[in-house]
Amino acid sequence: TISKVYARVVYDSRGNPTVEVVISTEKGKFSAIVPSGAHHNSHECLDLRDNDPKKWNGRGVSQAVQNVNEIIAPALIKANLDVTDQESIDEFLIDLDGTPTKEKLGANAILAVSLAVAKAGAGKKGSPLYKHIADLAKLHEYPFLIPTPFFNVLNGGIHSGSGLTFQEFMVVPYGAPSFFEAVRYATEIFHTLRTLTIEKYGSSSANLGDEGGIAPNVENARQALDLIVSAIKGAGYEGQVGIAIDASASDFYKEGKYDLNFKNEELSNAIDYLTSDQLAELYWDLINKYPIVSLEDPFSEDDWEAWTKYYPKFQSKVQIVADAITSTTPEIIEQGIEKKIANVLLLKLNQIGTLTEAIDAAKLAYDAGWAVQVSHRSGETEDTTIADLAVGLRTAQIKSGAPARSERFAKYNQIIRIEDDLEKYAVYAGKNFHDSNKS
Ligand code: PGA
Ligand code: ZN
């Protein structure tokens, strides 16, 4: 039973405050910290901020912390629910908030409690967290499926100060024999990429973006992709490592078109905005020219027409990942499935706000034949829950940023531990990252 629920303010990788919750039970103390993205659309659950300009530039979470300590804590202790009964506890939290986007108590407050409860539940059972999550999801367990990692080696979009439009350029070591080896490939590629980029674009081009990848001042996606292809070849992994792009196209959608110069006021000109057909043509060229295996948010969350028009064509060559357009929100995922917009759901815990709802969202996607990719946020912490989530839910894919920087590596390191502990009871998803969850 829960004897204490306590929240405090700690900090994320961008130096912004965030919520940590500690739950005390007879087994000890269990804590969780929530992340925060650079995007917040109207569908996703509310990341409650104080908006007091005098403190933390308005990013304070004092209210969310207070909501845990003064509202959730006494109510949850009084309810006397079992920490292994995640579903009842999450339902209790959802009811206590009572709003569809968790705006009364804050999704950051609620998620921190939900995840700390999950860890307490695993602690009570004496199970690793991934196994507890697999139990909760009622999914097949042994052998566990170790996800193929998507490493964001080159950052653009709103995560970097460069002019590069697309947000993320990831390497996917699907040809490695294990997760451990996949990480080795990625670190070698990342160091090669850094050296090549400095040679070509000067030392300041190795500056870093929000997710720990380099943020060179390249002009366009082709230049970024050429560098990455050279790095993959240079490190000796051609044919074993694919490339994934998250365009995050909602960020450059203007007046029904796409402004590739959205970060450069001098170059930005309405005459040059691309129609969705022109943007699709650009993607199609890139997909055919480079070893791209995955494309996320190719179009805006408000441009459903383009998503439905181009999914059938694109999916013959790459998987299409829905992030901003679905926002881990069941009603929208259902529409996306019906309208055939994509075949992968990007799963972000803090877009939905409880572990149970995240599990349900993943199962909704699986039932429709979609794959699921677990994702970090651009503002991250040392919390590693998403590593266990990806293994427990058998998602077969995860993205947690660059193969560098500890808030990114904390998750990869946790998967290294899980794979190592499981020994022969672990199977690396590898090239089957898109389908192996179905087995
Ligand atoms: P965010 O970006 O965490 O800054 O919202 C991540 C993504 O777009 O996948
Ligand atoms: Zn995204």
Side-chain angles (χ1 to χ4, degrees), residues 111-429:
L111 180 63
V113 174
S114 177
L115 298 182
V117 164
K119 292 179 188 187
K124 181 173 178 186
K125 289 203 277 191
S127 283
L129 182 58
Y130 62 86
K131 186 169 184 315
H132 178 48
I133 291 172
D135 290 346
L136 294 173
K138 300 183 187 72
L139 287 169
H140 163 84
E141 297 183 1
Y142 297 100
F144 280 92
L145 191 56
I146 306 298
T148 302
F150 285 47
F151 295 98
N152 186 6
V153 291
L154 198 153
N155 299 183
I158 64 169
H159 292 161
S160 99
S162 78
L164 187 61
T165 316
F166 299 163
Q167 180 177 281
E168 300 173 19
F169 292 80
M170 295 169 270
V171 294
V172 187
Y174 56 75
S178 64
F179 185 86
F180 184 78
E181 286 293 280
V183 175
R184 183 173 66 81
Y185 289 15
T187 55
E188 291 171 12
I189 291 166
F190 188 54
H191 292 126
T192 308
L193 176 66
R194 194 171 176 278
T195 307
L196 287 174
T197 306
I198 291 171
E199 271 168 26
K200 194 149 188 199
Y201 296 94
S203 58
S204 68
S205 64
N207 292 348
L208 300 182
D210 283 359
E211 296 191 347
I214 56 167
N217 218 338
V218 293
E219 281 161 22
N220 55 44
R222 281 192 184 84
Q223 291 179 354
L225 289 163
D226 285 338
L227 280 171
I228 295 169
V229 166
S230 302
I232 293 172
K233 282 186 191 159
Y237 297 115
E238 195 180 3
Q240 300 183 66
V241 175
I243 297 175
I245 293 177
D246 177 4
S248 198
S250 297
D251 299 331
F252 53 95
Y253 190 58
K254 291 182 185 170
E255 302 154 27
K257 290 188 177 175
Y258 294 89
D259 178 10
L260 298 197
N261 293 312
F262 80 114
K263 289 196 293 177
N264 191 328
E265 261 180 50
E266 277 164 36
L267 289 178
S268 175
N269 188 336
I271 301 176
D272 300 323
Y273 294 177
L274 301 187
T275 62
S276 50
D277 289 333
Q278 289 168 322
L279 181 63
E281 210 167 298
L282 169 61
Y283 291 132
W284 192 243
D285 279 353
L286 298 178
I287 290 167
N288 285 294
K289 179 156 181 233
Y290 298 96
I292 296 173
V293 296
S294 183
L295 180 57
E296 178 181 331
D297 282 1
F299 303 106
S300 165
E301 67 207 64
D302 296 319
D303 194 3
W304 282 72
E305 215 182 297
W307 281 85
T308 49
K309 181 168 176 189
Y310 288 101
Y311 168 69
K313 179 172 175 177
F314 289 176
Q315 62 83 38
S316 65
K317 302 236 169 172
V318 296
Q319 64 171 15
I320 297 294
V321 185
D323 172 13
I325 192 166
T326 37
S327 307
T328 320
T329 305
E331 300 77 42
I332 312 176
I333 297 168
E334 273 166 17
Q335 286 173 37
I337 290 165
E338 196 195 300
K339 298 209 166 108
K340 296 193 171 54
I341 58 164
N343 56 4
V344 185
L345 173 71
L346 197 76
L347 191 71
K348 287 171 166 169
L349 283 168
N350 74 332
Q351 283 178 334
I352 184 70
T354 64
L355 177 61
T356 302
E357 290 167 287
I359 292 172
D360 291 347
K363 294 185 103 173
L364 184 61
Y366 287 159
D367 287 345
W370 287 28
V372 173
Q373 181 176 119
V374 167
S375 172
H376 66 153
R377 299 307 306 257
S378 52
E380 266 295 339
T381 74
E382 63 271 32
D383 187 284
T384 59
T385 308
I386 61 165
D388 289 79
L389 182 71
V391 175
L393 291 182
R394 305 183 75 73
T395 63
Q397 25 185 313
I398 186 170
K399 71 165 182 177
S400 178
R405 310 285 129 191
S406 288
E407 81 279 6
R408 310 296 148 190
F409 237 118
K411 286 70 164 173
Y412 299 131
N413 281 341
Q414 173 68 358
I415 301 176
I416 287 175
R417 284 180 208 109
I418 294 172
E419 182 179 64
D420 193 37
D421 287 345
L422 282 167
E423 297 177 6
K424 63 177 193 289
Y425 300 106
V427 176
Y428 175 55

